[in-house]
Amino acid sequence: MRPRCMLASMLVMAGLGSASSVASAQVPRPKAPPPPALPAPARGLPTAAEVRALGDTFVAVAEKTSPAVVQIDVTVSSGDSSAGRWFRADATTRGMGSGVIFSADGAILTNNHVIEDARAINVRLKDGRTLSARVAGRDPATDLAVLRVDATNLPVATFADSDAARVGEWVVAIGSPFGLGHTVTTGVLSAKGRGGVGMNAIEDYLQTDASINPGNSGGPLVNLDGQVLGINTMIVSKGQGIGLAVPSNIARRVATQILKTGRVMRAWIGIGIQDLTPQLAAEIPSAPTAGALVNTVVAGGPAQKAHLEPGDIVTKIGARTIADAQDVIRELFLHDDGEVLAMEVIRSGKRYQTKVTLEAKSETSPPALPVERKASSPQGLGITLRDVDGDGGSTLAQIVAVSPDSPADRAGLKRGDVVLEADFARLPSSSDVQKAAQDGRLLLRVRRDKATFYTAVR
C-alpha cells in the first residue's frame, strides 16, 4: 500500500489530478456486457385471418391454372372382346390422364405413357368442350409427349424456372385422378434432382408429397404463383406421399423441340459413365468423394477429341458440379450440338481441364402409335353392317367386320356388336347407320353381350 500512496502524492503535486482519476484514465474499466435480450414470447396458433389468407392463395392458384389443365381420354384396344372390357382401365381407358396447355393454338403437354398404345385420344377442356387430339411428337426418354387439338385462343400455362424452386415450398398438383377432372391437391416440394428410379433414360425428378394418383399423370405441379414447376409423372407405390414430376425446364425444352421439328434432338459426347461409388473410390488412388467415372470412350467421338480416357473422373461440366453419372446426363440434355462445354476431370489424382464440342446424337424416332397410323380403309368409318332381327319384330344393325386401325376400330367397336342408337335415332337399320355416317362422324349406343355403352366414331 505504501508505494501506491507515494505515487498518488507525486501525481497530485504534478497537477495531474487525483490518483483515482488518473487510474481511470490509464486503465479503463471494462464495460459490463449488456443483459441478454429476453426471449420472444412463444407464438400461438395462426390467426383465423392468416389461415384464410393461405387458403385464398391456394384458391387463387387453382383459379389461375385450372383453365390450362385438360383431361385426356384414351382408347386402348387390348384385344379383349368381352363386354366387361369397357369398364376396365386396361381395355378402354377414359379419363386416366391429364395434360397442360402449352400454346394457345392447341399444343398440349402430357406424359408419353398416358398416350402409349392409344387408338383414339380425346381432350376435355375446362370449359366443357371435348376435342379429338393427334400426336405432334413424343419422347419416351423423358416420358413426355405433345398433342395437338384444333382450337385457338386457349388459356396457356406459365412455366417457372424449376432450377430456382426451393425444397420445402408449397406446391399444388392439378389433374384428373381416376377421371375426376380438375382435382386440386396440395403439399410441398420434397426434393429435387431425384434419379435412379429406372423408369426412363433421363431422370431428374422433382419429388412432392402432394397427393398424386392414376390420372394425374401429365398434369402440372405448380408453385404458389400459379406457374408450372413440373409435369406429374409417377408415384412410388411402395411409399406414401412420394410423387415425382419432370422439371419444367426439361419439359419446356422437350415441348419446344417437338413443336419445332417433330422430335427431340440430344447432344452427345461419346462416353460411357457410371457412378463413382465408395467401393470404387476406395480402389482408385487419390479419387474424389463424388463424380462420374468414365468407363468407355467412343473412337472418333467428341470425348476422344477432347482427350478423355477410361478411368477419368468427371467432376464438373460448365458450372455444374458433378456428383454422379445422372448429373452428366442432366447437364448434357440442356445443351445443343455445336456448343462447347468446359469439363473438369481427375486422372491419377491430378485435376485437368478440357473442352468438348457437343455433337448431335443419332436416334431413331419412336414407333408410330396406333392413333398415328393411317386407317386401312381410308373411305368410310371402317365397319361392315348387316340387318338382324331385334325384339318385337324390329330390325337392328349388327357389325360383322371392323377394319384394322380404322376409326371404328379406334373407337373400340368389335364384330358382333349390335347398334341400338345411331346419332340418337333408336333401333336403326344398317342403311340408317350408313346415312348417319355420311358426315364422317357417328355417335353409337352399342350392345355387346349383356353390356351397353356409347362410343363416338370419327
Side-chain angles (χ1 to χ4, degrees):
M1 292 294 296
R2 184 178 181 87
R4 182 184 180 100
C5 293
M6 292 176 62
L7 176 61
S9 300
M10 293 171 62
L11 290 174
V12 170
M13 288 189 297
L16 295 179
S18 67
S20 62
S21 65
V22 173
S24 63
Q26 295 296 323
V27 187
R29 294 178 181 176
K31 295 182 179 180
L38 293 174
R43 180 174 171 81
L45 295 174
T47 65
E50 290 172 329
V51 174
R52 280 195 297 270
L54 179 60
D56 289 343
T57 300
F58 291 132
V59 171
V61 170
E63 291 177 345
K64 177 181 179 179
T65 311
S66 289
V69 181
V70 302
Q71 178 174 311
I72 299 177
D73 296 333
V74 181
T75 300
V76 180
S77 178
S78 66
D80 179 5
S81 60
S82 66
R85 69 182 291 276
W86 287 92
F87 306 101
R88 292 199 296 271
D90 62 347
T92 297
T93 304
R94 301 185 187 281
M96 293 297 289
S98 304
V100 58
I101 300 174
F102 189 76
S103 67
D105 61 353
I108 296 170
L109 182 59
T110 186
N111 283 141
N112 177 65
H113 76 261
V114 168
I115 63 168
E116 203 156 24
D117 299 325
R119 291 183 174 273
I121 305 172
N122 291 304
V123 170
R124 190 174 303 176
L125 305 180
K126 176 71 171 176
D127 61 15
R129 285 181 291 170
T130 298
L131 304 174
S132 177
R134 59 188 182 276
V135 179
R138 59 196 189 97
D139 182 39
T142 55
D143 192 24
L144 294 170
V146 178
L147 305 178
R148 275 280 192 189
V149 295
D150 293 327
T152 57
N153 299 321
L154 295 178
V156 178
T158 302
F159 280 66
D161 178 5
S162 53
D163 288 345
R166 299 173 300 163
V167 172
E169 69 173 281
W170 283 102
V171 291
V172 177
I174 305 177
S176 301
F178 301 105
L180 302 172
H182 295 90
T183 295
V184 176
T185 57
T186 63
V188 298
L189 183 61
S190 305
K192 297 168 61 176
R194 291 296 193 211
V197 180
M199 296 298 294
N200 301 301
I202 297 176
E203 296 184 338
D204 183 17
Y205 299 119
L206 304 177
Q207 180 183 329
T208 181
D209 66 343
S211 181
I212 295 175
N213 290 286
N216 275 109
S217 291
L221 184 72
V222 301
N223 59 23
L224 292 191
D225 293 322
Q227 300 171 330
V228 178
L229 282 177
I231 301 298
N232 297 318
T233 297
M234 70 181 78
I235 56 175
V236 179
S237 59
K238 294 182 180 180
Q240 292 183 347
I242 303 178
L244 301 176
V246 178
S248 58
N249 288 356
I250 291 179
R252 180 167 43 195
R253 181 175 175 83
V254 168
T256 300
Q257 288 195 25
I258 287 176
L259 292 174
K260 184 177 180 179
T261 65
R263 57 181 301 181
V264 177
M265 296 294 295
R266 268 178 274 275
W268 175 75
I269 61 174
I271 59 173
I273 51 175
Q274 64 188 88
D275 292 344
L276 180 66
T277 63
Q279 293 81 2
L280 290 172
E283 303 302 325
I284 300 175
S286 303
T289 57
L293 178 62
V294 178
N295 54 38
T296 306
V297 176
V298 178
Q304 188 185 59
K305 296 173 185 177
H307 309 295
L308 268 69
E309 298 177 359
D312 288 346
I313 301 170
V314 181
T315 56
K316 200 169 186 179
I317 299 180
R320 181 193 287 265
T321 299
I322 302 302
D324 52 31
Q326 198 67 34
D327 278 345
V328 176
I329 297 173
R330 295 184 189 111
E331 184 63 26
L332 294 179
F333 180 81
L334 299 176
H335 297 276
D336 298 319
D337 62 289
E339 290 189 47
V340 179
L341 291 181
M343 295 185 66
E344 181 181 272
V345 301
I346 293 178
R347 179 185 300 171
S348 302
K350 295 182 180 180
R351 197 175 299 270
Y352 294 92
Q353 303 287 334
T354 187
K355 292 184 178 180
V356 60
T357 302
L358 304 183
E359 296 181 6
K361 184 178 181 181
S362 177
E363 292 186 274
T364 58
S365 299
L369 299 176
V371 72
E372 298 177 273
R373 299 172 191 153
K374 293 183 179 179
S376 58
S377 54
Q379 295 181 351
L381 299 179
I383 53 176
T384 303
L385 302 164
R386 71 175 180 182
D387 289 330
V388 295
D389 293 334
D391 297 335
S394 62
T395 300
L396 298 175
Q398 184 181 46
I399 298 174
V400 295
V402 178
S403 299
D405 287 332
S406 65
D409 186 29
R410 297 176 187 181
L413 293 172
K414 295 289 183 181
R415 182 176 180 270
D417 290 346
V418 176
V419 180
L420 302 179
E421 289 183 19
D423 287 349
F424 301 106
R426 300 187 63 189
L427 307 179
S429 64
S430 297
S431 59
D432 293 333
V433 176
Q434 291 172 353
K435 289 178 183 178
Q438 288 179 351
D439 61 356
R441 54 197 304 173
L442 198 58
L443 177 65
L444 299 178
R445 188 163 72 96
V446 176
R447 184 179 69 210
R448 180 179 299 164
D449 296 333
K450 296 181 180 180
T452 302
F453 56 87
Y454 282 97
T455 186
V457 189
R458 186 174 182 178

